[in-house]
Amino acid sequence: MSKEFDVVVIGSGPAGYVAAIRCAQLGFNTACVEQWRAPDDQPVYGGTCLNVGCIPSKALLDTSHKFHEMRHRFADHGIEAGQGAIDVAAMMARKNKVVGQLTQGVAGLFRGNKVTGISGKGRLLGPGRVEVGQPNGEKEEIGAAHVILASGSEPIAIPPTPVDDAFIVDSTGALEFDSVPQKLGVIGAGVIGLELGSVWSRLGSEVTVLEALDDFLPALDRQTAREALKIFTRQGLDIKLGARVEGSRVNKRRKHPVVVSYQDAQDKEKGGKEASFDKLIVAVGRRPVSAGLADPAAGLAIDGRGFVEVDAFCATNLPNVYAVGDLVRGPMLAHKGMEEGVMVAERLAGKKTQVNYALVPSVIYTHPEVAWAGKNEDELKQEGIECATGVFSFAASGRALAAHDTDGMVKLVVEKATDRIAGCQVIGASAADLLQQIVIAMEFGASAEDIALTMFPHPALSEVVHESALAARGHAIHKVNRKR
Ligand code: FAD
Ligand code: NAD
């Protein structure tokens, strides 16, 4: 074997690159194999998240939010900006620059921490043995005392709407439109559908979202989901629930070339329906990239949905082989993968690090953002646990009013018997950061009283968190409390 390492990581998305950096920090001679490459054949690090996921989508969300504010909100502040115009090419160039800065940043962190980057397709041959393949067919075997698999995920395709990268695109294509589609269809009212649907809606597209389920955002409790649906609908997203897509065709001669046929469960009598769009985004979930990742002779256990099977510490069925991130069970979120990467590295170094899977925050980066963690009211009720809830609206926050950003609410869920916080859901400006205050509190086992007795700066958006804890105890100050 030409090269030997203490640790070889396959994949440099957030799970893989964080694992590699932490391993190197802990003194392991570490390599990271990445197949994504730049035109000059150098590996491009950062995976889905940095290249075609979290970061570019947030860059477009921020640009489109500013544009929408200018068109629809500036006048309320007395700012005369007129209608303005969006230069889509300039918006994309800024997005690409942000992506480049961050992917180069990971390359710099690898150099600084002495992680060896290897360009190529990694394949597990067995414990301690990784093959690196090149597009020209060349193969090299490298040795590793420990292997961490972090090959991530890819968009799921559905037969009725095959992606052609011209008219029908997945999330990657939706980050690359060269103009604002007049009519945009989105399949799936999940995180990607709502975020990317919002981007193009704010820039002027008429957006229709076709969602197969009857329930909107099933991870939320029904009160919060209803509030979110109300806000998104008011913003102009036409979200059709219970819409099962059956087929599509592209006719370039039509004004709106993509024709989608679907069953509308909410309007059964009328039978099948059709809708026409300029572009269609398919955002129906992602699946793990596990095909071809290991030589079948290695015997790596992979479940029926393609996830590499791991225990609570991300150990696979093979000795000294671990798997992290979207490749394994749990939510497909960058921060969940990063924490798993850290956990595996630290456990290799003999530490007892764990991931608290009960407390993975989720955020939809629309405006307002939607963020949640822990258990919601409906879940606690199903488990027969008596709970109190504290709801406080952004409309009653002085800071939110001053910022002209009053949509949303905080809903804190508290176990009645112990006053311990069980979960929190936030819709509102900066919901991700506000939720994080509760996540930290929950990590410390805080009660609603702990939050209630904490001093919050005034006027700050975080006062809505404070008031939700007061409300859970029946004595919010800036709203009239319901009698209990
Ligand atoms: P990935 O990021 O998918 O990285 C895997 C890497 O492995 C890739 O670089 C791939 O090229 C490489 N690879 C695969 N196979 C091999 C092989 N055999 N050899 C060598 N290299 C290989 N999550 C959030 O938490 N917040 C967000 O705001 C967010 N926004 C998103 C927006 C979009 C549009 C999308 C698509 C996803 C978003 N996600 C977000 C999800 C997030 O991107 C993923 O959860 C995260 O990237 C998973 O990290 P990972 O390291 O497991 O895998
Ligand atoms: P998702 O699971 O969030 O949503 C997919 C939606 O599509 C679901 O509501 C599902 O019911 C619906 N659906 C499935 N099949 C359908 C069909 N045939 N017709 C109509 N609707 C259908 O998946 P996503 O939005 O594609 O995102 C993929 C992953 O990426 C998620 O796991 C998410 O965690 C991650 N992601 C996270 C963020 C974030 O954290 N802000 C942003 C983007 C993506």
Side-chain angles (χ1 to χ4, degrees):
M1 248 172 300
S2 56
K3 294 174 193 142
E4 289 280 348
F5 296 91
D6 297 329
V7 181
V8 169
V9 182
I10 299 180
S12 74
Y17 84 72
V18 168
I21 290 172
R22 190 68 189 117
C23 283
Q25 285 174 349
L26 290 162
F28 295 110
N29 178 18
T30 306
C32 184
V33 185
E34 174 55 61
Q35 64 184 5
W36 206 310
R37 46 180 94 206
D40 65 357
D41 261 7
Q42 289 304 304
V44 176
Y45 303 118
T48 304
C49 176
L50 269 58
N51 289 286
V52 292
C54 328
I55 299 303
S57 60
K58 266 79 251 180
L60 298 187
L61 278 159
D62 280 335
T63 301
S64 59
H65 177 60
K66 286 182 164 60
F67 181 72
H68 190 265
E69 288 274 291
M70 180 200 67
R71 280 210 162 163
H72 301 282
R73 313 280 284 199
F74 274 18
D76 295 335
H77 291 267
I79 303 170
E80 289 176 20
Q83 282 299 286
I86 184 74
D87 178 343
V88 174
M91 172 178 77
M92 292 298 177
R94 188 192 82 90
K95 180 243 333 173
N96 293 339
K97 192 172 163 204
V98 172
V99 168
Q101 275 171 338
L102 287 170
T103 56
Q104 285 303 313
V106 175
L109 289 171
F110 274 9
R111 282 193 298 276
N113 286 287
K114 299 197 170 29
V115 173
T116 304
I118 299 176
S119 183
K121 188 175 170 67
R123 194 163 77 107
L124 180 77
L125 298 176
R129 292 168 56 222
V130 170
E131 175 191 272
V132 180
Q134 301 303 333
N136 65 6
E138 273 174 27
K139 289 186 171 70
E140 181 190 16
E141 192 175 321
I142 56 177
H146 306 279
V147 179
I148 303 177
L149 305 172
S151 51
S153 64
E154 61 190 5
I156 292 176
I158 49 171
T161 53
V163 167
D164 61 12
D165 287 328
F167 297 98
I168 305 180
V169 299
D170 58 21
S171 58
T172 302
L175 296 167
E176 296 292 345
F177 291 160
D178 54 12
S179 61
V180 179
Q182 190 195 331
K183 289 183 75 180
L184 174 65
V186 180
I187 304 187
V191 196
I192 293 181
L194 293 171
E195 289 187 358
L196 295 182
S198 293
V199 164
W200 296 105
S201 161
R202 293 166 186 173
L203 297 177
S205 295
E206 198 182 303
V207 178
T208 304
V209 185
L210 302 172
E211 165 60 51
L213 295 180
D214 293 325
D215 280 341
F216 183 58
L217 294 177
L220 299 176
D221 72 17
R222 290 305 82 199
Q223 181 189 14
T224 316
R226 264 196 309 275
E227 177 73 11
L229 182 59
K230 198 173 77 193
I231 292 171
F232 293 138
T233 303
R234 202 169 60 220
Q235 289 178 353
L237 295 184
D238 180 9
I239 300 171
K240 295 190 189 302
L241 299 173
R244 189 158 287 281
V245 177
E246 294 184 320
S248 65
R249 57 185 194 277
V250 174
N251 181 346
K252 290 180 203 163
R253 286 197 301 271
R254 286 179 66 128
K255 185 166 181 235
H256 307 297
V258 190
V259 182
V260 176
S261 50
Y262 64 98
Q263 288 290 336
D264 187 343
Q266 314 213 316
D267 194 3
K268 272 200 185 104
E269 280 129 48
K270 294 200 178 137
K273 291 197 172 168
E274 281 197 348
S276 303
F277 307 108
D278 299 298
K279 299 271 187 190
L280 181 70
I281 304 173
V282 182
V284 295
R286 295 177 63 82
R287 61 161 184 225
V289 176
S290 55
L293 179 62
D295 187 327
L300 180 70
I302 295 175
D303 74 15
R305 295 195 301 152
F307 290 100
V308 171
E309 288 180 10
V310 288
D311 66 12
F313 306 115
C314 292
T316 70
N317 65 318
L318 302 179
N320 303 321
V321 179
Y322 303 83
V324 291
D326 284 9
L327 182 62
V328 303
R329 81 284 174 269
M332 288 182 162
L333 295 172
H335 42 280
K336 173 263 191 185
M338 291 185 195
E339 292 307 314
E340 288 179 335
V342 169
M343 171 174 72
V344 169
E346 296 195 346
R347 293 185 81 87
L348 290 181
K351 296 175 189 282
K352 300 277 179 235
T353 312
Q354 300 184 9
V355 169
N356 181 0
Y357 287 103
L359 208 43
V360 181
S362 294
V363 181
I364 307 175
Y365 289 89
T366 42
H367 193 95
E369 293 174 355
V370 182
W372 66 97
K375 291 193 174 164
N376 67 42
E377 184 184 11
D378 297 343
E379 287 168 333
L380 282 192
K381 279 188 176 154
Q382 272 160 23
E383 288 174 21
I385 299 172
E386 254 204 292
C387 63
T389 59
V391 176
F392 195 80
S393 163
F394 277 63
S397 151
R399 187 62 203 261
L401 268 170
H404 196 24
D405 218 348
T406 51
D407 275 344
M409 58 181 238
V410 177
K411 181 169 181 180
L412 194 73
V413 186
V414 177
E415 278 180 30
K416 245 192 181 147
T418 59
D419 194 40
R420 189 160 285 202
I421 301 169
C424 185
Q425 313 205 340
V426 187
I427 305 175
S430 301
D433 296 314
L434 297 178
L435 174 81
Q436 193 55 24
Q437 307 191 355
I438 293 298
V439 172
I440 293 169
M442 287 176 72
E443 279 290 356
F444 286 96
S447 63
E449 186 181 27
D450 290 324
I451 303 290
L453 291 173
T454 302
M455 195 182 295
F456 283 70
H458 176 77
L461 282 182
S462 56
E463 286 172 296
V464 294
V465 173
H466 190 206
E467 290 278 0
S468 74
L470 292 168
R473 300 173 59 75
H475 54 90
I477 298 296
H478 294 92
K479 75 169 198 176
V480 177
N481 298 279
R482 261 188 293 153
K483 285 224 166 67
R484 312 179 156 233

